[in-house]
Amino acid sequence: MPEPNFSDARFLRRLKERDRVAWAELADAYLSQLLRAARGMGFTIEDSQDLAQSAFAALIEGIGRFEGRSHIRTFLFGIFYNKVSEHLREKQRAEENDPIDEVMESKFDLQGKWRQPPLDIEKKIFSREARQMVEKCLETVPRAQRIAFYLRAVSEMDTTEICNKMQITPTNLGVLLFRARNYLRECLERMGLKRG
Amino acid sequence: MYRCSEIVRLISSEEYLTAGLLKRLGIRLHLAACRNCRRYARQLRALAAALREAAGPVPAAEIETAKRLVLERLAQKP
């Protein structure tokens, strides 16, 4: 389904006039994307709904000030990511210690060489049951790490933008990404071992 | 020359993105010589792809609820 031309000035006017049909079109186009993003970042169904709702509510309120200089999707997602970061403000800095750090240290000998070659997880990743496995493993990744990883790998935001949104330093982001990736990789490696 | 443990950290934290030329060259040299780290780097790329796949479509009922709420919000007095 081709996306309607939301950048059209007439469409924008209809939004500003709170035209129900126009808003329904916009909701059809982007609500599923917002919900999917929130779920992907590890929010519960309820929290995902709240986030999507508050993003749309803010858009309804703020549409009068929107001048159409950026795409409305960009504008909406900007609001959405702000809501996400408000939701987390307290907990998003990387903890000083995380169990994965020790796991990673134990993988290398005193010369910093791999004790054992990293096991092949690619077959697992691309196998049929991979999706469930990955989802299961994602659940073991702490929230802030998961969000950082999601914004980077799926939203493909640049690192500066993620730091702004999450209000963290680049060093902190590096720590979050290191941990998220290695948690996920370790988990898949373990699952691979179990299944032989 | 970098150690494997350092390479793993540089790659997974994406610190290499902001690294200077010399550091990048060091990483490249290590990867060229080290099969294990090459494999690790390849796996991380696959992980990102897997993450994009993992978030399946949102159930239609959830989207409907969300849409209804949005339209209710719209109907409220500005």
Side-chain angles (χ1 to χ4, degrees):
Chain A
M1 192 177 74
E3 196 170 279
N5 183 11
F6 293 142
S7 307
D8 182 66
R10 206 176 326 135
F11 185 78
L12 186 55
R13 201 165 55 236
R14 286 169 61 204
L15 290 179
K16 292 190 183 195
E17 288 161 359
R18 299 170 85 98
D19 176 317
R20 192 178 162 90
V21 179
W23 279 97
E25 272 180 48
L26 203 66
D28 282 335
Y30 299 131
L31 268 176
S32 62
Q33 294 182 25
L34 292 180
L35 291 170
R36 186 173 171 168
R39 297 289 285 135
M41 286 187 261
F43 288 101
T44 62
I45 293 177
E46 290 74 26
D47 284 347
S48 300
Q49 280 283 1
D50 284 350
L51 285 165
Q53 286 307 320
S54 56
F56 254 91
L59 185 65
I60 291 172
E61 262 160 51
I63 194 74
R65 291 186 300 277
F66 177 67
E67 292 168 4
R69 278 203 205 101
S70 59
H71 195 281
I72 192 144
R73 182 183 188 282
T74 313
F75 190 64
L76 175 61
F77 268 79
I79 297 173
F80 171 71
Y81 289 129
N82 286 337
K83 298 287 173 197
V84 169
S85 88
E86 272 169 34
H87 196 275
L88 298 170
R89 194 126 298 165
E90 301 291 301
K91 296 180 207 155
Q92 57 199 353
R93 272 192 28 254
E95 303 286 335
E96 211 158 310
N97 295 300
D98 191 292
I100 191 68
D101 298 348
E102 240 171 83
V103 174
M104 291 311 289
E105 262 171 48
S106 72
K107 295 183 98 61
F108 302 96
D109 65 19
L110 289 174
Q111 279 81 48
K113 287 209 181 85
W114 291 92
R115 283 182 201 277
Q116 276 181 348
L119 294 181
D120 181 16
I121 58 163
E122 279 141 299
K123 265 190 245 123
K124 303 287 165 212
I125 292 180
F126 294 114
S127 66
R128 239 180 308 139
E129 71 273 43
R131 181 182 279 190
Q132 285 127 299
M133 236 188 263
V134 172
E135 272 173 24
K136 200 161 197 163
C137 284
L138 275 171
E139 282 165 22
T140 67
V141 180
R143 171 67 55 81
Q145 296 172 25
R146 185 167 169 179
I147 290 175
F149 187 33
Y150 185 92
L151 293 178
R152 189 71 189 120
V154 185
S155 309
E156 292 180 334
M157 246 185 222
D158 68 46
T159 47
T160 320
E161 202 181 345
I162 300 175
C163 287
N164 287 340
K165 287 269 184 279
M166 295 184 75
Q167 299 193 312
I168 53 176
T169 64
T171 310
N172 239 301
L173 178 60
V175 173
L176 291 177
L177 291 173
F178 165 88
R179 287 174 179 166
R181 291 190 163 107
N182 286 306
Y183 257 122
L184 195 52
R185 215 202 70 83
E186 279 300 304
C187 177
L188 288 167
E189 200 174 90
R190 273 200 311 279
M191 285 208 172
L193 276 180
K194 249 187 269 164
R195 303 197 178 198
Chain B
M1 195 70 177
Y2 286 110
R3 298 158 164 226
C4 300
S5 53
E6 289 166 323
I7 293 292
V8 159
R9 193 184 55 79
L10 287 166
I11 295 178
S12 60
S13 68
E14 296 192 28
E15 208 183 301
Y16 70 94
L17 285 179
T18 51
L21 209 57
L22 208 61
K23 208 165 176 180
R24 277 182 191 234
L25 189 66
I27 296 170
R28 275 175 180 265
L29 281 176
H30 182 102
L31 286 176
C34 178
R35 179 195 293 265
N36 286 342
C37 285
R38 273 205 305 280
R39 175 184 257 191
Y40 176 85
R42 203 170 54 232
Q43 291 179 348
L44 287 200
R45 284 194 295 276
L47 276 187
L51 187 68
R52 283 191 284 273
E53 290 294 306
V58 179
E62 270 180 55
I63 301 172
E64 273 313 304
T65 309
K67 186 178 170 186
R68 185 173 48 74
L69 291 171
V70 164
L71 293 177
E72 274 172 20
R73 166 73 68 141
L74 185 71
Q76 283 167 18
K77 265 188 98 177

